[in-house]
Amino acid sequence: MKKQLLVLAALLIAASTASAQQKARTFSVTPKVGVTVSNITGQLPVYVAYAVMPDVSGTEGTIFVPDSDPGKWGLISYENQKRKAGFTAGVEAQYQFSSLFGLSVGVFYTQQGAKYGTKGKRGTPNGEQFDFKDDLKVNLNSIAIPVLANVYVWKGLALKAGLQPEFAVSRSTSGDFAISYKGKPATTSSGAFIKTFALSVPVGISYEYKNLVADLRYNFGVTNLRQDGDKWNRSYGPAAHNRSLTFTVGYKWGL
């Protein structure tokens, strides 16, 4: 990450001698829509809990659990994260201080997260059978607020960098799977321990042609996504950070 930021800083410094064709002291609004490709670095396990209830018999008001059929419960977790595709949409407002430099603030709904390589059947010597029909997914849907410095290096070509607070609006897991124990179906649930707030450093490049804007950004997560992550770091492993590549297109209106 340090190398990428140093390269970007060098480009921004070099841009000071480049020509640009942006009107100074103007304000604009740009609605945008696009796609994201995201992953999670470090260790953020997704878990699946399961329970098989034993046969219950007895008279009214009492419950008897036969010793011969005590039931089964457990929890399994997976850590082999893979990239996950998503969607993003929002709007950015920008003030152009000079022909070279502008400052923008945006609000975006963005789908991030990761996939986990769980697809397939497997069993254990204890009698559990796991049947994952696809990869489990962690779905982290957030409201992102990018604040960016935009330096125009040539005509409509701009380099950008800044900070992006992200507030989760939903955190869920998805995937088609079934678990059984000695032929009996299990009650299951899945999830991941994810914080509601994250902070990222977006860096990128954009190009404007007339009113059309194409934008490519890479977001480096700098806060730990795991709940109680600071407490877990020493014993559990590396902190978990967002990583996402975002491509959007938009239409720029001058105000």
Side-chain angles (χ1 to χ4, degrees):
M1 175 178 172
K2 291 182 179 178
K3 291 183 179 179
Q4 289 92 333
L5 292 177
L6 288 173
V7 170
L8 181 63
L11 290 173
L12 293 175
I13 293 171
S16 61
T17 59
S19 62
Q21 295 183 357
Q22 300 295 314
K23 292 182 179 180
R25 297 184 297 277
T26 58
F27 188 81
S28 62
V29 174
T30 308
K32 295 182 176 182
V33 63
V35 295
T36 64
V37 178
S38 61
N39 201 349
I40 298 172
T41 66
Q43 293 184 350
L44 178 71
V46 60
Y47 69 84
V48 176
Y50 61 94
V52 181
M53 300 301 296
D55 294 330
V56 178
S57 60
T59 60
E60 184 177 355
T62 64
I63 296 178
F64 172 70
V65 179
D67 292 337
S68 60
D69 188 12
K72 182 70 174 179
W73 66 271
L75 184 145
I76 56 175
S77 63
Y78 298 91
E79 300 176 3
N80 51 336
Q81 299 102 318
K82 303 191 294 184
R83 288 184 293 273
K84 172 182 174 291
F87 166 82
T88 186
V91 62
E92 279 188 318
Q94 178 168 321
Y95 182 75
Q96 196 70 31
F97 288 92
S98 68
S99 60
L100 175 67
F101 177 75
L103 184 68
S104 64
V105 179
V107 178
F108 286 83
Y109 173 80
T110 180
Q111 296 177 334
Q112 301 181 83
K115 292 197 302 183
Y116 292 73
T118 57
K119 186 176 181 179
K121 288 187 176 182
R122 58 188 65 86
T124 72
N126 297 325
E128 296 103 334
Q129 294 292 322
F130 305 94
D131 183 7
F132 288 88
K133 296 180 174 58
D134 54 20
D135 290 334
L136 283 174
K137 296 179 182 178
V138 168
N139 307 303
L140 177 58
N141 302 326
S142 303
I143 298 298
I145 306 175
V147 181
L148 298 171
N150 302 276
V151 178
Y152 288 83
V153 296
W154 181 75
K155 296 184 178 180
L157 185 67
L159 301 176
K160 50 190 62 188
L163 289 175
Q164 178 171 287
E166 300 169 6
F167 303 89
V169 294
S170 66
R171 299 163 291 170
S172 64
T173 60
S174 62
D176 187 2
F177 65 91
I179 300 175
S180 62
Y181 172 65
K182 294 183 179 180
K184 295 184 178 181
T187 300
T188 61
S189 64
S190 60
F193 298 103
I194 304 176
K195 292 180 179 177
T196 57
F197 174 79
L199 182 66
S200 296
V201 175
V203 295
I205 187 170
S206 68
Y207 184 73
E208 301 175 19
Y209 178 73
K210 295 184 178 179
N211 293 86
L212 297 177
V213 182
D215 191 303
L216 181 67
R217 299 177 193 174
Y218 192 82
N219 299 303
F220 297 88
V222 295
T223 54
N224 194 349
L225 288 179
R226 287 201 313 264
Q227 290 182 1
D228 298 325
D230 296 336
K231 184 190 305 182
W232 291 0
N233 272 348
R234 294 182 182 178
S235 59
Y236 192 79
H241 297 120
N242 266 334
R243 295 288 188 269
S244 65
L245 182 69
T246 302
F247 176 75
T248 60
V249 293
Y251 191 87
K252 186 174 184 179
W253 274 289
L255 299 179

PDB file of all heavy atoms in Angstrom, residues 43 193 195 224-240:
ATOM      1  N   GLN A  43      -7.834 -12.315   8.145  1.00  0.00           N
ATOM      2  CA  GLN A  43      -8.690 -13.428   8.541  1.00  0.00           C
ATOM      3  C   GLN A  43     -10.021 -12.924   9.071  1.00  0.00           C
ATOM      4  O   GLN A  43     -10.087 -12.324  10.143  1.00  0.00           O
ATOM      5  CB  GLN A  43      -7.987 -14.290   9.593  1.00  0.00           C
ATOM      6  CG  GLN A  43      -6.769 -15.024   9.052  1.00  0.00           C
ATOM      7  CD  GLN A  43      -6.143 -15.943  10.081  1.00  0.00           C
ATOM      8  OE1 GLN A  43      -6.493 -15.905  11.252  1.00  0.00           O
ATOM      9  NE2 GLN A  43      -5.216 -16.768   9.642  1.00  0.00           N
ATOM     10  N   PHE A 193     -18.687 -12.084  11.987  1.00  0.00           N
ATOM     11  CA  PHE A 193     -18.621 -11.001  12.963  1.00  0.00           C
ATOM     12  C   PHE A 193     -17.966  -9.783  12.314  1.00  0.00           C
ATOM     13  O   PHE A 193     -16.746  -9.700  12.201  1.00  0.00           O
ATOM     14  CB  PHE A 193     -17.827 -11.453  14.185  1.00  0.00           C
ATOM     15  CG  PHE A 193     -18.459 -12.614  14.909  1.00  0.00           C
ATOM     16  CD1 PHE A 193     -17.951 -13.886  14.769  1.00  0.00           C
ATOM     17  CD2 PHE A 193     -19.577 -12.422  15.709  1.00  0.00           C
ATOM     18  CE1 PHE A 193     -18.533 -14.959  15.430  1.00  0.00           C
ATOM     19  CE2 PHE A 193     -20.167 -13.480  16.375  1.00  0.00           C
ATOM     20  CZ  PHE A 193     -19.645 -14.762  16.224  1.00  0.00           C
ATOM     21  N   LYS A 195     -17.854  -5.407  11.895  1.00  0.00           N
ATOM     22  CA  LYS A 195     -18.188  -4.100  12.450  1.00  0.00           C
ATOM     23  C   LYS A 195     -19.102  -3.319  11.503  1.00  0.00           C
ATOM     24  O   LYS A 195     -19.121  -3.567  10.298  1.00  0.00           O
ATOM     25  CB  LYS A 195     -16.913  -3.295  12.698  1.00  0.00           C
ATOM     26  CG  LYS A 195     -16.027  -3.831  13.809  1.00  0.00           C
ATOM     27  CD  LYS A 195     -14.788  -2.960  13.970  1.00  0.00           C
ATOM     28  CE  LYS A 195     -13.902  -3.452  15.090  1.00  0.00           C
ATOM     29  NZ  LYS A 195     -12.659  -2.646  15.219  1.00  0.00           N
ATOM     30  N   ASN A 224      -9.881  -2.462  10.975  1.00  0.00           N
ATOM     31  CA  ASN A 224     -10.158  -3.888  11.119  1.00  0.00           C
ATOM     32  C   ASN A 224     -11.664  -4.133  11.050  1.00  0.00           C
ATOM     33  O   ASN A 224     -12.439  -3.534  11.803  1.00  0.00           O
ATOM     34  CB  ASN A 224      -9.602  -4.386  12.449  1.00  0.00           C
ATOM     35  CG  ASN A 224      -9.552  -5.904  12.535  1.00  0.00           C
ATOM     36  OD1 ASN A 224     -10.105  -6.603  11.706  1.00  0.00           O
ATOM     37  ND2 ASN A 224      -8.865  -6.410  13.551  1.00  0.00           N
ATOM     38  N   LEU A 225     -12.097  -5.039  10.153  1.00  0.00           N
ATOM     39  CA  LEU A 225     -13.513  -5.325  10.000  1.00  0.00           C
ATOM     40  C   LEU A 225     -14.075  -6.202  11.114  1.00  0.00           C
ATOM     41  O   LEU A 225     -15.275  -6.181  11.375  1.00  0.00           O
ATOM     42  CB  LEU A 225     -13.768  -6.031   8.659  1.00  0.00           C
ATOM     43  CG  LEU A 225     -13.648  -5.197   7.392  1.00  0.00           C
ATOM     44  CD1 LEU A 225     -13.915  -6.077   6.181  1.00  0.00           C
ATOM     45  CD2 LEU A 225     -14.618  -4.035   7.407  1.00  0.00           C
ATOM     46  N   ARG A 226     -13.219  -7.000  11.751  1.00  0.00           N
ATOM     47  CA  ARG A 226     -13.709  -7.956  12.740  1.00  0.00           C
ATOM     48  C   ARG A 226     -14.188  -7.250  14.003  1.00  0.00           C
ATOM     49  O   ARG A 226     -13.526  -6.361  14.528  1.00  0.00           O
ATOM     50  CB  ARG A 226     -12.614  -8.959  13.128  1.00  0.00           C
ATOM     51  CG  ARG A 226     -12.292  -9.982  12.085  1.00  0.00           C
ATOM     52  CD  ARG A 226     -11.622 -11.198  12.715  1.00  0.00           C
ATOM     53  NE  ARG A 226     -10.563 -10.837  13.629  1.00  0.00           N
ATOM     54  CZ  ARG A 226      -9.271 -10.780  13.306  1.00  0.00           C
ATOM     55  NH1 ARG A 226      -8.895 -11.034  12.073  1.00  0.00           N
ATOM     56  NH2 ARG A 226      -8.365 -10.468  14.210  1.00  0.00           N
ATOM     57  N   GLN A 227     -15.329  -7.675  14.513  1.00  0.00           N
ATOM     58  CA  GLN A 227     -15.754  -7.209  15.813  1.00  0.00           C
ATOM     59  C   GLN A 227     -14.767  -7.712  16.857  1.00  0.00           C
ATOM     60  O   GLN A 227     -14.324  -8.854  16.807  1.00  0.00           O
ATOM     61  CB  GLN A 227     -17.160  -7.721  16.129  1.00  0.00           C
ATOM     62  CG  GLN A 227     -18.249  -7.086  15.284  1.00  0.00           C
ATOM     63  CD  GLN A 227     -19.628  -7.598  15.663  1.00  0.00           C
ATOM     64  OE1 GLN A 227     -19.774  -8.407  16.565  1.00  0.00           O
ATOM     65  NE2 GLN A 227     -20.649  -7.139  14.942  1.00  0.00           N
ATOM     66  N   ASP A 228     -14.426  -6.834  17.812  1.00  0.00           N
ATOM     67  CA  ASP A 228     -13.406  -7.156  18.816  1.00  0.00           C
ATOM     68  C   ASP A 228     -12.084  -7.530  18.161  1.00  0.00           C
ATOM     69  O   ASP A 228     -11.303  -8.306  18.702  1.00  0.00           O
ATOM     70  CB  ASP A 228     -13.857  -8.301  19.735  1.00  0.00           C
ATOM     71  CG  ASP A 228     -15.106  -7.936  20.518  1.00  0.00           C
ATOM     72  OD1 ASP A 228     -15.237  -6.747  20.883  1.00  0.00           O
ATOM     73  OD2 ASP A 228     -15.944  -8.808  20.744  1.00  0.00           O
ATOM     74  N   GLY A 229     -11.834  -6.966  16.983  1.00  0.00           N
ATOM     75  CA  GLY A 229     -10.640  -7.339  16.230  1.00  0.00           C
ATOM     76  C   GLY A 229      -9.350  -7.008  16.953  1.00  0.00           C
ATOM     77  O   GLY A 229      -8.389  -7.769  16.898  1.00  0.00           O
ATOM     78  N   ASP A 230      -9.297  -5.868  17.655  1.00  0.00           N
ATOM     79  CA  ASP A 230      -8.081  -5.502  18.365  1.00  0.00           C
ATOM     80  C   ASP A 230      -7.757  -6.524  19.450  1.00  0.00           C
ATOM     81  O   ASP A 230      -6.596  -6.817  19.716  1.00  0.00           O
ATOM     82  CB  ASP A 230      -8.222  -4.113  18.984  1.00  0.00           C
ATOM     83  CG  ASP A 230      -8.379  -3.028  17.923  1.00  0.00           C
ATOM     84  OD1 ASP A 230      -7.937  -3.272  16.789  1.00  0.00           O
ATOM     85  OD2 ASP A 230      -8.942  -1.976  18.227  1.00  0.00           O
ATOM     86  N   LYS A 231      -8.792  -7.082  20.070  1.00  0.00           N
ATOM     87  CA  LYS A 231      -8.586  -8.069  21.115  1.00  0.00           C
ATOM     88  C   LYS A 231      -8.127  -9.403  20.531  1.00  0.00           C
ATOM     89  O   LYS A 231      -7.365 -10.142  21.149  1.00  0.00           O
ATOM     90  CB  LYS A 231      -9.893  -8.269  21.885  1.00  0.00           C
ATOM     91  CG  LYS A 231      -9.788  -9.212  23.079  1.00  0.00           C
ATOM     92  CD  LYS A 231     -11.160  -9.536  23.638  1.00  0.00           C
ATOM     93  CE  LYS A 231     -11.933  -8.283  23.991  1.00  0.00           C
ATOM     94  NZ  LYS A 231     -13.264  -8.612  24.573  1.00  0.00           N
ATOM     95  N   TRP A 232      -8.616  -9.712  19.312  1.00  0.00           N
ATOM     96  CA  TRP A 232      -8.328 -11.008  18.706  1.00  0.00           C
ATOM     97  C   TRP A 232      -6.999 -11.042  17.969  1.00  0.00           C
ATOM     98  O   TRP A 232      -6.483 -12.110  17.686  1.00  0.00           O
ATOM     99  CB  TRP A 232      -9.423 -11.362  17.711  1.00  0.00           C
ATOM    100  CG  TRP A 232     -10.735 -11.664  18.329  1.00  0.00           C
ATOM    101  CD1 TRP A 232     -11.051 -11.664  19.655  1.00  0.00           C
ATOM    102  CD2 TRP A 232     -11.925 -12.016  17.641  1.00  0.00           C
ATOM    103  NE1 TRP A 232     -12.351 -11.980  19.836  1.00  0.00           N
ATOM    104  CE2 TRP A 232     -12.924 -12.205  18.628  1.00  0.00           C
ATOM    105  CE3 TRP A 232     -12.243 -12.188  16.304  1.00  0.00           C
ATOM    106  CZ2 TRP A 232     -14.211 -12.566  18.286  1.00  0.00           C
ATOM    107  CZ3 TRP A 232     -13.529 -12.552  15.958  1.00  0.00           C
ATOM    108  CH2 TRP A 232     -14.507 -12.727  16.950  1.00  0.00           C
ATOM    109  N   ASN A 233      -6.451  -9.891  17.612  1.00  0.00           N
ATOM    110  CA  ASN A 233      -5.318  -9.860  16.696  1.00  0.00           C
ATOM    111  C   ASN A 233      -4.178 -10.794  17.099  1.00  0.00           C
ATOM    112  O   ASN A 233      -3.637 -11.518  16.283  1.00  0.00           O
ATOM    113  CB  ASN A 233      -4.775  -8.435  16.561  1.00  0.00           C
ATOM    114  CG  ASN A 233      -5.494  -7.685  15.455  1.00  0.00           C
ATOM    115  OD1 ASN A 233      -6.208  -8.279  14.665  1.00  0.00           O
ATOM    116  ND2 ASN A 233      -5.307  -6.382  15.413  1.00  0.00           N
ATOM    117  N   ARG A 234      -3.772 -10.775  18.368  1.00  0.00           N
ATOM    118  CA  ARG A 234      -2.595 -11.528  18.776  1.00  0.00           C
ATOM    119  C   ARG A 234      -2.836 -13.032  18.699  1.00  0.00           C
ATOM    120  O   ARG A 234      -1.945 -13.794  18.341  1.00  0.00           O
ATOM    121  CB  ARG A 234      -2.185 -11.131  20.193  1.00  0.00           C
ATOM    122  CG  ARG A 234      -1.711  -9.680  20.283  1.00  0.00           C
ATOM    123  CD  ARG A 234      -1.262  -9.350  21.691  1.00  0.00           C
ATOM    124  NE  ARG A 234      -0.838  -7.955  21.807  1.00  0.00           N
ATOM    125  CZ  ARG A 234      -0.443  -7.399  22.939  1.00  0.00           C
ATOM    126  NH1 ARG A 234      -0.431  -8.103  24.062  1.00  0.00           N
ATOM    127  NH2 ARG A 234      -0.074  -6.130  22.966  1.00  0.00           N
ATOM    128  N   SER A 235      -4.038 -13.474  19.052  1.00  0.00           N
ATOM    129  CA  SER A 235      -4.290 -14.906  19.112  1.00  0.00           C
ATOM    130  C   SER A 235      -4.933 -15.451  17.846  1.00  0.00           C
ATOM    131  O   SER A 235      -4.721 -16.609  17.496  1.00  0.00           O
ATOM    132  CB  SER A 235      -5.192 -15.222  20.312  1.00  0.00           C
ATOM    133  OG  SER A 235      -6.425 -14.527  20.192  1.00  0.00           O
ATOM    134  N   TYR A 236      -5.709 -14.625  17.139  1.00  0.00           N
ATOM    135  CA  TYR A 236      -6.470 -15.144  16.004  1.00  0.00           C
ATOM    136  C   TYR A 236      -5.760 -14.984  14.668  1.00  0.00           C
ATOM    137  O   TYR A 236      -5.931 -15.781  13.776  1.00  0.00           O
ATOM    138  CB  TYR A 236      -7.850 -14.490  15.949  1.00  0.00           C
ATOM    139  CG  TYR A 236      -8.755 -15.201  14.984  1.00  0.00           C
ATOM    140  CD1 TYR A 236      -9.372 -16.388  15.352  1.00  0.00           C
ATOM    141  CD2 TYR A 236      -8.954 -14.723  13.694  1.00  0.00           C
ATOM    142  CE1 TYR A 236     -10.178 -17.075  14.463  1.00  0.00           C
ATOM    143  CE2 TYR A 236      -9.757 -15.405  12.803  1.00  0.00           C
ATOM    144  CZ  TYR A 236     -10.368 -16.575  13.196  1.00  0.00           C
ATOM    145  OH  TYR A 236     -11.150 -17.251  12.319  1.00  0.00           O
ATOM    146  N   GLY A 237      -4.992 -13.943  14.499  1.00  0.00           N
ATOM    147  CA  GLY A 237      -4.304 -13.767  13.227  1.00  0.00           C
ATOM    148  C   GLY A 237      -4.408 -12.344  12.724  1.00  0.00           C
ATOM    149  O   GLY A 237      -4.860 -11.445  13.423  1.00  0.00           O
ATOM    150  N   PRO A 238      -3.998 -12.117  11.454  1.00  0.00           N
ATOM    151  CA  PRO A 238      -3.964 -10.761  10.899  1.00  0.00           C
ATOM    152  C   PRO A 238      -5.340 -10.106  10.887  1.00  0.00           C
ATOM    153  O   PRO A 238      -6.363 -10.776  10.756  1.00  0.00           O
ATOM    154  CB  PRO A 238      -3.454 -10.990   9.467  1.00  0.00           C
ATOM    155  CG  PRO A 238      -2.786 -12.326   9.494  1.00  0.00           C
ATOM    156  CD  PRO A 238      -3.520 -13.134  10.512  1.00  0.00           C
ATOM    157  N   ALA A 239      -5.346  -8.784  11.023  1.00  0.00           N
ATOM    158  CA  ALA A 239      -6.593  -8.033  10.947  1.00  0.00           C
ATOM    159  C   ALA A 239      -7.230  -8.198   9.568  1.00  0.00           C
ATOM    160  O   ALA A 239      -6.560  -8.463   8.572  1.00  0.00           O
ATOM    161  CB  ALA A 239      -6.319  -6.561  11.236  1.00  0.00           C
ATOM    162  N   ALA A 240      -8.551  -8.047   9.522  1.00  0.00           N
ATOM    163  CA  ALA A 240      -9.300  -8.179   8.272  1.00  0.00           C
ATOM    164  C   ALA A 240      -9.607  -6.798   7.715  1.00  0.00           C
ATOM    165  O   ALA A 240     -10.157  -5.944   8.423  1.00  0.00           O
ATOM    166  CB  ALA A 240     -10.597  -8.947   8.511  1.00  0.00           C
TER     167      ALA A 240
END
